[in-house]
Amino acid sequence: MDHVQVKINGMPFSVPKDSTVLEAARYAGIDIPTLCYLKGINEIGACRMCVVEVKGARSLVASCVYPVNEGMEVFTNTPKVQESRRMTLEMLLSVHNRNCLSCKRSGSCELQALCQELGVENAAEFDGALPEAQTDTSTLHLVRDNSKCILCRRCVAACQDQFVSVIGTNSRGFDTHIGCSFERPLSDVTCVSCGQCIVACPTGALVEKDQCQEVLDAINDPSKYVVVQTAPSIRATLGECFGMPVGANVKGKMVAALRRLGFDKVFDADFGADLTILEESHEFIDRVQNGGVLPLITSCSPGWVKFCEHYYPDLLPNVSSCKSPQQMTGAVIKTWYAEKNGIDPKDIVVVSIMPCTAKKFESQRDDQNAAGPGIEDVDIVLTTRELARLINLAHINFARLPDEDFDPALGITTGAGAIFGATGGVMEAALRTAADVLEGHPVDQIEYQEVRGTEGIKEAVYKIAGMDVKVAVVSGLKNANEVLSKVRSGEADYHFIEIMCCPGGCVNGGGQPIQPAAVRNFTDLKAIRAKALYEEDRNLPLRKSHESPVVKTVYEEYFGEPGSHKAHEVLHTTYVARSRF
Amino acid sequence: MQKRISNLPFQGTKEQEEKLHAVIAKHKGEQGAVMPVLHEAQEIYGYLPVEVQTMVADGLGVPLEEVFGVSTFYSQFSLTPKGKYNISVCLGTACYVKGAAAVLDRVSQILGIQPEECTQDGLFSLTACRCVGACGLAPVMTVNDDVYGRLAPEEVDGILAKYQA
């Protein structure tokens, strides 16, 4: 790559020619502060936090979008720069709800951190008129409080990046605010509940709808049997909430913490993932052999499902009728497990720990109540962040916890279930089982490398039982839109497509720990978190879903075989076409 | 001030819709097509209600929120219809010091609408405007092309009654 010579704070550096000043400064060991900048998503140079002095430039320049050139001299920390940054913060604070003590983002707020770093103390100096305070609590998954919004537009860019674009900037000047078209509540527009806006938000303006108290109430109710399940990706991210490095697998400590919180049973949603694979690969083989609608598209990701309902209702017959792993686990707990243990399903409360805000929506969908009307498969969904909050509330010292195992009834799982949390994982898990079933014997190949990795669209062709199986793996709804428009036009001829709503899959879900932009911009969170899951897979004795002893037992005792009438009643669901506007 | 959004029933006609679709077809695929299409849409309908903006978004293949964002950013776009008679009360400097605010209040009180709104029967809409260039007549109010000057608030009742007949 071509390089140019630049001076940063008087010291010479050779930096790639296409760097921005912000990137170049990193070579000098300087992290220029930012607020609106999200690499690859929001590069608009609007907030003026990253300003620096460039010799010869007329005014301060926004380093996040300003390209380097040969001989450039940059100063990142002059009094003029500091004064400008401080002024920017003071102006932001002048219209900011400074209720920081009780804010959910206190301690992880990027605005708060910058104020501390730059010593902005006299926040009341510019107090005056305030814009109209607007809050939106209309959806099941998030709360928007515009009194904490700094108009950085990161949420808007994240929503655009998901090809949903239901939030944007309305009005102008002092009245500028983030909202939906015609100021409708978020529940009335085509929001898919993915939560990518929440993880993009630098402040407390966007937070998940907190359901911790509901969980505590259930645990403290002696008449309730409270069961928890954790999604595959939680073990790869929860540690971040307790200062551990990105990509640390904290499965054992997570289970220990849940037990100490007072759950009656701690189960693994990897079980539901394994079960999903049996049902979904059966559905796939059935469609291939009997001329069913192809391509089959996975249905694990509720944000994707809602996107399909709004934007591609004509492709709903392609979407697998399988419930998601969360809902399958919940359904099995309230049917098979309840019967087996003589518990009234009405008394069972199933709590899920999910990487996902759309799961809060999914659990309240129609046709997700296998044990009978009014008995939801899953009662309460918490995000990774909410679980961390519960653990902190109980003053559990997470780092010092021993490693414990899931309760075995629904806790012995396979590597195939583990990799569900990364883009490509569901496809790989399905291929492992489909290959064995179609070939009629255990196939040696376990790893399908072509569908791994964080690229948004991956394609591969595998020869299984003499047939060329053409698959695609997609993450992020912008990519989904690209692939689906080809499916719709007939240009693409895949047999099987995995779609995950969030870029990179569940490890990068909207319910995951929020890393500040300074980390997120220069760390491939998706890849590092996914690595933890692939390592878990490699180290597990069982790596194919159909080898799971729990899955075998459940079929022997309850469902008979994949795709049976009973399985359809409990483990499958339906979808509804929704409007695009 | 944030723009008011009309809650009056949409009364677009088939002809208007055909015109709008022709405009959309003309601009589709152009970069920055939203602005010119909204301009022409407002000429066709007189304002930009949700029904019109949805047709624009659908036709151009852009998110409705993007269309709405543009329509609320630029002051020349209106989200409320104009009545058969549009009343403009001048709040320019000269009119203001001569008591235009009281005139505006009186109109607002009689019609039961705020500036940027239209009466339920579609007869009157109300605008608070800046200088109309007749400062010698301050305070000034116009009803469509009729100009009324040197107004006292109590004269408003009689003026409006003429149009209600």
Side-chain angles (χ1 to χ4, degrees):
Chain A
M1 197 191 294
D2 287 347
H3 280 61
V4 291
Q5 306 304 316
V6 299
K7 272 189 178 171
I8 294 167
N9 300 338
M11 297 199 290
F13 292 93
S14 176
V15 301
K17 183 160 92 41
D18 57 358
S19 312
T20 61
V21 171
L22 180 92
E23 286 161 348
R26 289 176 59 81
Y27 290 91
I30 288 162
D31 291 346
I32 296 174
T34 59
L35 270 177
C36 71
Y37 178 66
L38 266 194
K39 197 174 184 179
I41 295 177
N42 200 40
E43 301 180 349
I44 57 175
C47 75
R48 315 302 296 172
M49 187 49 53
C50 69
V51 290
V52 295
E53 279 194 77
V54 171
K55 196 172 178 184
R58 207 165 39 83
S59 56
L60 296 174
V61 304
S63 63
C64 68
V65 290
Y66 203 84
V68 292
N69 54 52
E70 183 63 40
M72 181 184 251
E73 290 187 43
V74 180
F75 301 92
T76 66
N77 196 34
T78 62
K80 190 176 171 187
V81 165
Q82 282 192 6
E83 188 45 41
S84 170
R85 289 179 186 161
R86 219 172 266 134
M87 173 70 93
T88 299
L89 288 173
E90 283 165 352
M91 300 296 253
L92 286 173
L93 288 182
S94 73
V95 288
H96 193 78
N97 175 350
R98 300 194 294 270
N99 223 340
C100 301
L101 273 182
S102 58
C103 181
K104 289 223 159 56
R105 289 294 300 275
S106 189
S108 69
C109 172
E110 295 181 31
L111 181 65
Q112 187 184 42
L114 285 170
C115 287
Q116 272 173 359
E117 286 162 20
L118 283 153
V120 173
E121 286 161 0
N122 191 5
E125 195 177 357
F126 299 110
D127 273 353
L130 292 173
E132 189 189 338
Q134 299 154 318
T135 52
D136 187 334
T137 57
S138 63
T139 59
L140 293 165
H141 71 288
L142 71 70
V143 175
R144 181 173 66 226
D145 180 352
N146 278 355
S147 71
K148 294 175 181 171
C149 174
I150 58 167
L151 295 171
C152 67
R153 290 157 173 81
R154 275 158 52 166
C155 58
V156 175
C159 196
Q160 266 168 10
D161 202 48
Q162 284 287 55
F163 207 77
V164 172
S165 281
V166 288
I167 51 170
T169 35
N170 295 342
S171 295
R172 70 189 290 178
F174 193 68
D175 294 317
T176 307
H177 61 280
I178 304 300
C180 302
S181 60
F182 288 86
E183 308 298 349
R184 288 178 291 186
L186 197 58
S187 58
D188 285 9
V189 297
T190 58
C191 172
V192 301
S193 317
C194 73
Q196 285 298 316
C197 55
I198 302 175
V199 284
C201 183
T203 71
L206 287 166
V207 292
E208 63 286 340
K209 200 170 253 181
D210 191 307
Q211 294 183 278
C212 289
Q213 191 57 47
E214 290 172 47
V215 173
L216 292 173
D217 290 346
I219 289 174
N220 292 326
D221 182 343
S223 69
K224 296 293 181 194
Y225 187 82
V226 189
V227 177
V228 67
Q229 58 163 325
T230 65
S233 63
I234 311 300
R235 65 208 64 180
T237 59
L238 181 63
E240 292 172 38
C241 297
F242 302 98
M244 295 175 180
V246 177
N249 189 330
V250 295
K251 181 170 157 183
K253 291 184 193 303
M254 173 182 75
V255 173
L258 290 166
R259 213 160 264 141
R260 278 152 185 76
L261 281 170
F263 289 102
D264 293 298
K265 283 283 180 272
V266 183
F267 290 148
D268 193 350
D270 287 20
F271 158 77
D274 283 332
L275 196 54
T276 300
I277 286 305
L278 266 81
E279 288 298 318
E280 204 160 83
S281 58
H282 175 271
E283 185 181 6
F284 174 65
I285 293 166
D286 181 58
R287 287 193 189 204
V288 169
Q289 290 176 343
N290 298 313
V293 181
L294 289 173
L296 177 67
I297 311 178
T298 59
S299 59
C300 307
S301 169
W304 139 246
V305 169
K306 187 151 188 268
F307 179 82
C308 189
E309 290 176 327
H310 282 299
Y311 293 84
Y312 286 90
D314 50 313
L315 294 185
L316 284 172
N318 293 71
V319 179
S320 164
S321 63
C322 290
K323 287 181 182 174
S324 71
Q326 135 167 301
Q327 297 298 130
M328 282 203 187
T329 311
V332 168
I333 290 169
K334 293 208 178 173
T335 55
W336 171 77
Y337 182 83
E339 277 178 35
K340 199 175 157 94
N341 292 282
I343 309 168
D344 185 344
K346 286 195 194 72
D347 294 331
I348 301 180
V349 177
V350 174
V351 177
S352 303
I353 313 298
M354 291 286 139
C356 178
T357 46
K359 290 280 173 195
K360 288 180 186 279
F361 168 79
E362 180 186 61
S363 70
Q364 302 305 310
R365 287 182 67 108
D366 290 340
D367 201 16
Q368 303 275 0
N369 41 14
I375 307 174
E376 307 284 357
D377 294 339
V378 172
D379 297 277
I380 309 168
V381 177
L382 298 187
T383 60
T384 316
R385 299 188 292 270
E386 288 165 275
L387 173 58
R389 220 171 279 146
L390 270 187
I391 292 171
N392 282 331
L393 178 66
H395 293 96
I396 293 168
N397 188 323
F398 191 78
R400 282 219 312 266
L401 289 177
D403 287 345
E404 293 183 7
D405 288 326
F406 285 107
D407 287 302
L410 296 172
I412 298 169
T413 57
T414 72
I419 58 176
F420 259 60
T423 167
V426 178
M427 179 59 72
E428 185 168 342
L431 288 169
R432 290 179 190 177
T433 291
D436 281 13
V437 174
L438 285 170
E439 297 278 0
H441 61 86
V443 175
D444 288 342
Q445 180 175 9
I446 291 180
E447 297 189 352
Y448 293 79
Q449 295 291 342
E450 295 77 8
V451 296
R452 296 186 178 187
T454 56
E455 305 92 274
I457 300 174
K458 292 164 280 187
E459 293 176 319
V461 181
Y462 294 108
K463 202 156 199 90
I464 298 174
M467 177 193 166
D468 282 330
V469 179
K470 204 167 173 186
V471 304
V473 170
V474 184
S475 73
L477 293 176
K478 192 160 68 174
N479 298 317
N481 183 64
E482 191 182 321
V483 168
L484 291 176
S485 63
K486 286 184 189 161
V487 170
R488 187 184 261 173
S489 70
E491 200 186 319
D493 59 344
Y494 305 112
H495 296 105
F496 197 4
I497 307 177
E498 175 201 303
I499 299 184
M500 289 294 154
C501 172
C502 293
C506 308
V507 287
N508 193 38
Q512 293 286 28
I514 298 175
Q515 288 290 351
V519 172
R520 183 177 158 163
N521 284 337
F522 301 100
T523 314
D524 192 350
L525 294 176
K526 305 190 266 276
I528 301 172
R529 289 168 175 173
K531 198 163 162 258
L533 299 181
Y534 285 110
E535 267 169 23
E536 184 181 356
D537 168 41
R538 214 171 30 246
N539 294 327
L540 279 169
L542 300 172
R543 299 182 68 188
K544 295 174 176 174
S545 294
H546 54 283
E547 293 171 350
S548 154
V550 185
V551 168
K552 282 182 187 161
T553 308
V554 170
Y555 276 106
E556 274 162 23
E557 292 184 7
Y558 203 64
F559 295 122
E561 54 193 33
S564 69
H565 182 70
K566 187 93 183 165
H568 266 275
E569 276 182 349
V570 175
L571 305 176
H572 290 252
T573 187
T574 50
Y575 309 109
V576 285
R578 299 174 198 264
S579 153
R580 237 195 96 181
F581 291 100
Chain B
M1 200 176 71
Q2 280 184 38
K3 287 190 184 182
R4 289 181 185 281
I5 298 170
S6 169
N7 54 7
L8 297 176
F10 179 59
Q11 294 182 326
T13 63
K14 200 83 207 138
E15 289 73 39
Q16 287 174 316
E17 195 174 322
E18 278 165 17
K19 272 193 201 168
L20 179 60
H21 283 307
V23 169
I24 290 168
K26 189 173 70 183
H27 291 283
K28 191 166 173 136
E30 281 174 21
Q31 213 182 353
V34 173
M35 282 274 274
V37 170
L38 284 183
H39 267 293
E40 295 191 44
Q42 181 153 306
E43 272 170 32
I44 295 167
Y45 288 94
Y47 73 124
L48 298 170
V50 62
E51 293 83 359
V52 172
Q53 293 201 23
T54 303
M55 282 189 270
V56 171
D58 198 18
L60 292 175
V62 297
L64 179 58
E65 165 50 34
E66 186 181 323
V67 176
F68 182 75
V70 172
S71 77
T72 56
F73 186 88
Y74 294 103
S75 58
Q76 69 265 48
F77 293 127
S78 173
L79 307 185
T80 51
K82 292 279 177 278
K84 186 177 173 198
Y85 301 109
N86 183 43
I87 302 166
S88 287
V89 179
C90 179
L91 291 185
T93 313
C95 290
Y96 194 82
V97 298
K98 286 282 195 176
V103 174
L104 180 63
D105 286 348
R106 185 67 199 147
V107 178
S108 186
Q109 190 191 348
I110 296 170
L111 298 179
I113 54 172
Q114 296 298 311
E116 305 305 319
E117 285 183 355
C118 183
T119 54
Q120 286 289 336
D121 59 6
L123 195 58
F124 291 106
S125 55
L126 179 57
T127 314
C129 69
R130 298 293 157 187
C131 190
V132 295
C135 307
L137 298 176
V140 173
M141 170 177 110
T142 63
V143 181
N144 288 354
D145 293 332
D146 304 337
V147 181
Y148 299 90
R150 300 207 175 98
L151 278 175
E154 52 275 15
E155 291 174 77
V156 169
D157 302 56
I159 294 170
L160 295 186
K162 285 202 296 188
Y163 296 93
Q164 278 160 331

